[in-house]
Amino acid sequence: MTLQRAALWAIVIAATMYLLVAARGLILPFVLAMALWYMVDAVADAIERPRLGRLRVPRPLALLAAVLIMSGLVGVVGRTLGHNVSAVAAAAPAYEGRLQKLLDQLAALAGMEQAPTLGQLFDRISLADTLGGVATFAASLVSVAGIVLIYAGFLFVEQVRFRRKLAIIFGPGEQQARVLSVLEQIDRDIRVYLRIKTVLAVATSILAYAVMAWVGVDFAGFWATMIFFFYYIPTVGSILAIVAPAVLTLVQFDHLTPFLIVLFVIGTIQIVMANVIEPAIMGRSLNLSPLVVIVSLMVWGTMWGVIGMFLCVPIMVVLLIVLAHFESTRPVAILLSADGRIPEAPHEPGS
């Protein structure tokens, strides 16, 4: 019987993963809409929560303010990225010349008579095709954005009646309490994760910008913005946040001092933030195994690309909490956890 159940679970998991990949075009806009709805709702809660005596910000005004704040942030980030991408494209010939000079120096150190040219190294890469692909990707994001906003709007409408529907479906008693317990814990843990990640991402990007501006790295604002987003990607994001600006610094300057400063200072900032401060603040609120985090990063990144990398930790947090609330799946939740300690499952009705 155990073998049959294991085979059934394997079939269900395989079918689910196939569906997530095959229906990616349909699922991702809704997933992005849920993420957008959740972030706006969290900002609205933060605006609504403070009280001035008996007065507090009405919920509609809090939601409007949250929408305006998120729209402003998206607009600033979009303008920053758009301006700097154009500037990078304009400066590309100068960087190519510097990169070729570095190749010549490396070839001389290696005892090679002639260094390979950039054309030989990247003969299969067409700049026009690459820029065309980027433009196509940007256009697809714009087209998907409309669908995401429509979904998010309907999620806000549905939010008003959702709890009442749950009460009707499950009725009063243990089952409704179990569902509400799962939803409340998911909400609490995801909010803690997003709040801590966002604060540390802002701090990391500001410190990195200060270092790059002091050294004189080109497009410091652009790389600081990218470091902010990289911080949400476990492990790989920290590596990219260190390597990408360091390589640009190496190509930009004729001596190694700026490169070493950027590499070691930004690397130290990333390591301290991600491996010392974040675990100390986050504590056991997530309690995910590091191995599970890196495997989920690879799995969701393969299935959903960059979006999957950003969402892999929240998805695994939700999965851990749900599995922990059912006796039959608690062993799986224990395997996913960092130390084997998971939320206590409510007793089954009638037990």
Side-chain angles (χ1 to χ4, degrees), residues 30 33-34 36-45 48 59-60 62-64 66-67 150-167 180 183 187 191:
F30 184 73
M34 289 188 65
L36 176 61
W37 161 75
Y38 195 85
M39 288 187 291
V40 172
D41 191 65
V43 173
D45 283 346
E48 184 184 13
R59 184 66 180 180
L63 281 174
L64 178 60
V67 169
I150 292 173
Y151 280 150
F154 279 101
L155 284 171
F156 279 109
V157 174
E158 187 68 20
Q159 180 184 10
V160 178
R161 306 182 182 89
F162 184 68
R163 281 186 173 268
R164 189 173 66 182
K165 291 181 179 180
L166 285 180
L180 291 178
L183 293 178
D187 180 70
R191 284 178 190 268

Side-chain angles (χ1 to χ4, degrees), residues 42-105:
V43 173
D45 283 346
I47 295 172
E48 184 184 13
R49 188 178 302 114
R51 290 176 179 269
L52 183 59
R54 294 185 177 180
L55 299 177
R56 67 188 303 176
V57 179
R59 184 66 180 180
L61 289 180
L63 281 174
L64 178 60
V67 169
L68 293 176
I69 290 172
M70 294 296 296
S71 301
L73 289 175
V74 171
V76 170
V77 171
R79 285 196 298 271
T80 301
L81 294 179
H83 171 74
N84 282 276
V85 166
S86 301
V88 170
Y95 289 141
E96 289 179 0
R98 173 61 186 156
L99 186 56
Q100 183 62 60
K101 184 177 179 181
L102 286 175
L103 289 175
D104 293 338
Q105 292 174 350

Side-chain angles (χ1 to χ4, degrees), residues 16 23 39 64 76 143 167 188 199 206 304 333 340:
T16 302
M39 288 187 291
L64 178 60
V76 170
S143 64
R188 182 172 60 252
V199 170
I206 290 174
W304 286 356

Side-chain angles (χ1 to χ4, degrees), residues 35-338:
L36 176 61
W37 161 75
Y38 195 85
M39 288 187 291
V40 172
D41 191 65
V43 173
D45 283 346
I47 295 172
E48 184 184 13
R49 188 178 302 114
R51 290 176 179 269
L52 183 59
R54 294 185 177 180
L55 299 177
R56 67 188 303 176
V57 179
R59 184 66 180 180
L61 289 180
L63 281 174
L64 178 60
V67 169
L68 293 176
I69 290 172
M70 294 296 296
S71 301
L73 289 175
V74 171
V76 170
V77 171
R79 285 196 298 271
T80 301
L81 294 179
H83 171 74
N84 282 276
V85 166
S86 301
V88 170
Y95 289 141
E96 289 179 0
R98 173 61 186 156
L99 186 56
Q100 183 62 60
K101 184 177 179 181
L102 286 175
L103 289 175
D104 293 338
Q105 292 174 350
L106 290 174
L109 290 175
M112 298 174 61
E113 295 182 359
Q114 184 176 3
T117 64
L118 292 178
Q120 292 172 336
L121 291 175
F122 303 109
D123 58 351
R124 295 186 179 182
I125 299 177
S126 169
L127 182 60
D129 291 344
T130 302
L131 294 177
V134 171
T136 302
F137 176 70
S140 66
L141 284 182
V142 172
S143 64
V144 169
I147 302 174
V148 170
L149 291 175
I150 292 173
Y151 280 150
F154 279 101
L155 284 171
F156 279 109
V157 174
E158 187 68 20
Q159 180 184 10
V160 178
R161 306 182 182 89
F162 184 68
R163 281 186 173 268
R164 189 173 66 182
K165 291 181 179 180
L166 285 180
I168 295 173
I169 291 173
F170 297 105
E174 188 72 28
Q175 196 170 12
Q176 181 181 345
R178 179 195 296 272
V179 173
L180 291 178
S181 174
V182 171
L183 293 178
E184 288 171 2
Q185 187 168 0
I186 289 172
D187 180 70
R188 182 172 60 252
D189 285 359
I190 296 299
R191 284 178 190 268
V192 168
Y193 171 77
L194 289 177
R195 182 166 60 248
I196 293 174
K197 274 286 188 181
T198 301
V199 170
L200 294 182
V202 170
T204 302
S205 60
I206 290 174
L207 292 174
Y209 175 79
V211 172
M212 290 185 288
W214 174 61
V215 172
V217 178
D218 292 340
F219 319 113
F222 169 77
W223 286 113
T225 304
M226 295 306 299
I227 287 172
F228 172 83
F229 289 111
F230 286 153
Y231 196 85
Y232 288 90
I233 302 176
T235 308
V236 175
S238 296
I239 296 173
L240 291 174
I242 297 170
V243 172
V247 170
L248 176 64
T249 307
L250 179 64
V251 172
Q252 177 183 342
F253 293 94
D254 292 325
H255 48 96
L256 289 177
T257 302
F259 164 73
L260 294 176
I261 292 174
V262 169
L263 178 64
F264 288 109
V265 176
I266 293 183
T268 301
I269 293 170
Q270 283 286 337
I271 292 171
V272 171
M273 286 289 186
N275 298 287
V276 179
I277 297 178
E278 182 178 325
I281 299 176
M282 197 84 72
R284 293 186 56 253
S285 58
L286 298 184
N287 198 29
L288 280 174
S289 165
L291 177 61
V292 169
V293 171
I294 192 65
V295 171
S296 67
L297 174 69
M298 298 298 107
V299 171
W300 290 103
T302 301
M303 293 195 300
W304 286 356
V306 176
I307 295 173
M309 293 182 178
F310 279 102
L311 297 178
C312 66
V313 172
I315 289 173
M316 297 309 297
V317 169
V318 172
L319 185 61
L320 173 63
I321 294 171
V322 172
L323 293 176
H325 276 74
F326 298 92
E327 290 295 339
S328 60
T329 55
R330 281 177 68 80
V332 180
I334 292 172
L335 290 175
L336 296 179
S337 67

